[in-house]
Amino acid sequence: MALLVQKYGGTSVANLERIQKVADRVAESRRKGNRLVVVVSAMSGVTDGLLKMARELCKDPSEREMDLLLATGEQTTTALLAIALQSRGVEAVAMTGAQAGIVTDGTHTKARIANVTPQAVQSHLKAGRVVIVAGFQGQTMEGQITTLGRGGSDLTAIALAAVLKAERCEIYTDVDGVYTADPRTEPQAKKIGEISYDEMLELASTGAKVMQARSVEFAKKFGVVFEVRSSFNELRGTMVKEEAKSMERVVVRGVSLEKSQAKVTLVGVADRPGVAAKLFTGIAKAGINVDMIVQNVSLPTGGKGSKPQTDITFTVPREELPKARKFLEPFRRAGWVKQIVFQEGVAKLSVVGIGMRSHSGVAAQLFRALAAAGVNIQMISTSEIKITVVVDEGMGAKAVRAAHREFRLGGREGKR
Ligand code: ADP
Ligand code: ASP
Ligand code: MG
């Protein structure tokens, strides 16, 4: 009997009708003889609603209590799905993350899984029950409830699939696979048949929220092959797996856009050893999520004996801008930095593909396409398989379209 781990995201369990549909699917799979662990998210909008309520009470609610609060969303769904299955005569048991053995570190709101002790899940499976597990949550060794970061139910599913050595891991969502761009904003986007872990990881960490980035990292580490597919139809989805030689033929696999970003420029930073270290250590300690750091060439400030200075620009998620402002202001007052410029309303556009390792000229091609579309590039950063540019947020969709068209992603899959 095959062991399957299935995960149903928020829209797939958005209301009772959809929960009934999921119960039908699960019951059918069980009747075929499969053993099943089903991970569920909170009903769509519930996590956001809980966050909003807490923030109405307090601007900066304590993270321990936030975890306790947010974990209730997933628990509701597990219990409802188990009840729906039981009413169909299918033996099912609902479990919290803690009951399912998800042990995490103590970093509230973005805890890391330390280990999984699957004995309880295994004994329910052995007794013939479908095990429904609350995604996105765990418990520390000390018994504190934690959550795994937004989109974290994906991680619960992948971790359970790894530990239980499941034959299949299926991530059911509201699109029928991973597309060359977000199909909601790019009408030309095409479904990808298979994608490597590295490409999926880069896309997920640059705005393609179809998978939580950390879950992909985990899948890569433990070699969990998984399929992203729709809970609304029977179509085959996208396989995410180890890269194969043939995958390199595709230069650009997909395009992603991360909106709601902000740019911070530190003008006139003293150019001597230790300054950047001090600034960024402090920024990290303040919990500010920095990306795309660019340091300009160092120039003397003029005048005899003047010390060289440089400019540093980086991006942060827009909601972290107030924290960054509060943290950086004392550095300006103390004379470490001459001036600080904060700019909201920017977005990061990324093109991703492992084929970039063996093809040259991809960056130039992207820049030409953006220029032709009238999109101004504000910052650039590249890695082996990714090119990211910062653009005006209002031009984001246009930039995606231009890149998508340039690399012919809307035609036959990935053809250049
Ligand atoms: P779930 O609630 O099932 O976890 P999410 O909302 O987290 O679902 O992720 C699915 C959404 O991801 C889709 O509705 C789609 O708009 C978005 N998305 C962004 N980029 C992509 C992409 N490249 N391929 C598919 N979906 C994408
Ligand atoms: N409910 C959580 C969220 O909205 C986790 C998840 O859906 O994966 O982020
Ligand atoms: Mg998700």
Side-chain angles (χ1 to χ4, degrees), residues 7 9-11 172-175 177-179 181-184 207-210:
K7 176 251 165 176
T11 31
Y172 285 92
T173 181
D174 56 1
V175 281
V178 179
Y179 277 66
D182 187 342
R184 294 197 193 286
K209 75 161 191 162
V210 61

Side-chain angles (χ1 to χ4, degrees), residues 7 10 41-42 47 74 136 149-154:
K7 176 251 165 176
S41 288
T47 309
E74 269 66 13
F136 173 59
R150 294 307 303 264
S153 299
D154 296 334

Side-chain angles (χ1 to χ4, degrees), residues 52-122:
K52 190 161 171 272
M53 281 200 280
R55 287 195 183 133
E56 267 170 34
L57 295 172
C58 169
K59 249 172 63 193
D60 194 13
S62 73
E63 293 188 329
R64 180 188 176 280
E65 276 60 38
M66 281 315 287
D67 274 352
L68 208 61
L69 177 68
L70 296 188
T72 62
E74 269 66 13
Q75 288 182 31
T76 308
T77 331
T78 42
L80 290 174
L81 182 58
I83 290 166
L85 281 165
Q86 288 158 1
S87 81
R88 283 162 175 72
V90 178
E91 267 201 72
V93 56
M95 303 179 92
T96 64
Q99 288 170 336
I102 310 281
V103 181
T104 73
D105 66 13
T107 322
H108 282 292
T109 75
K110 20 180 148 32
R112 289 196 166 266
I113 294 182
N115 64 67
V116 182
T117 46
Q119 287 76 8
V121 172
Q122 279 163 330

Side-chain angles (χ1 to χ4, degrees), residues 167-408:
E167 268 87 348
R168 294 214 310 266
C169 178
E170 299 168 333
I171 307 291
Y172 285 92
T173 181
D174 56 1
V175 281
D176 56 13
V178 179
Y179 277 66
T180 50
D182 187 342
R184 294 197 193 286
T185 50
E186 176 46 57
Q188 296 297 320
K190 280 269 178 320
K191 184 159 68 176
I192 300 169
E194 50 180 42
I195 184 169
S196 68
Y197 291 127
D198 285 339
E199 289 167 322
M200 187 69 248
L201 183 55
E202 292 284 21
L203 286 173
S205 29
T206 54
K209 75 161 191 162
V210 61
M211 284 301 297
Q212 187 211 32
R214 276 166 65 182
S215 72
V216 184
E217 214 177 311
F218 198 101
K220 182 183 176 189
K221 190 163 168 194
F222 294 96
V224 179
V225 175
F226 63 93
E227 182 180 4
V228 178
R229 53 186 299 175
S230 168
S231 63
F232 304 125
N233 59 45
E234 299 298 327
L235 294 174
R236 283 201 51 195
T238 302
M239 297 304 301
V240 186
K241 52 197 237 191
E242 197 52 71
E243 71 179 71
K245 200 80 204 120
S246 61
M247 290 182 180
E248 274 197 32
R249 283 204 296 269
V250 177
V251 180
V252 172
R253 180 82 56 197
V255 181
S256 56
L257 185 74
E258 203 167 4
K259 293 198 272 196
S260 305
Q261 300 293 298
K263 221 167 65 176
V264 179
T265 304
L266 310 176
V267 184
V269 185
D271 191 17
R272 57 183 148 79
V275 174
K278 180 148 180 135
L279 276 168
F280 286 97
T281 305
I283 288 175
K285 276 202 188 130
I288 301 162
N289 216 340
V290 168
D291 191 29
M292 277 187 85
I293 306 169
V294 175
Q295 176 171 323
N296 211 336
V297 59
S298 165
L299 293 171
T301 44
K304 221 172 148 220
S306 73
K307 302 234 167 63
Q309 290 189 344
T310 186
D311 298 341
I312 300 176
T313 303
F314 55 88
T315 60
V316 294
R318 184 166 52 212
E319 77 261 16
E320 292 186 11
L321 204 54
K323 243 194 310 186
R325 214 184 273 269
K326 196 165 145 203
F327 173 80
L328 289 166
E329 199 44 38
F331 284 89
R332 192 191 57 79
R333 279 199 300 271
W336 280 58
V337 176
K338 262 209 184 121
Q339 192 195 346
I340 309 175
V341 184
F342 299 95
Q343 189 193 335
E344 293 190 35
V346 295
K348 288 188 280 190
L349 167 88
S350 303
V351 297
V352 171
I354 49 174
M356 279 186 213
R357 288 191 200 123
S358 46
H359 290 74
S360 56
V362 187
Q365 199 180 340
L366 172 67
F367 302 159
R368 277 197 305 272
L370 293 176
V375 178
N376 187 41
I377 299 170
Q378 302 182 15
M379 283 170 86
I380 300 168
S381 98
T382 61
S383 76
E384 211 189 7
I385 66 163
K386 181 183 73 180
I387 303 163
T388 303
V389 295
V390 170
V391 299
D392 186 271
E393 190 162 23
M395 296 296 259
K398 202 171 182 190
V400 168
R401 194 141 310 149
H404 201 265
R405 199 181 314 119
E406 178 65 25
F407 295 104
R408 300 204 188 142

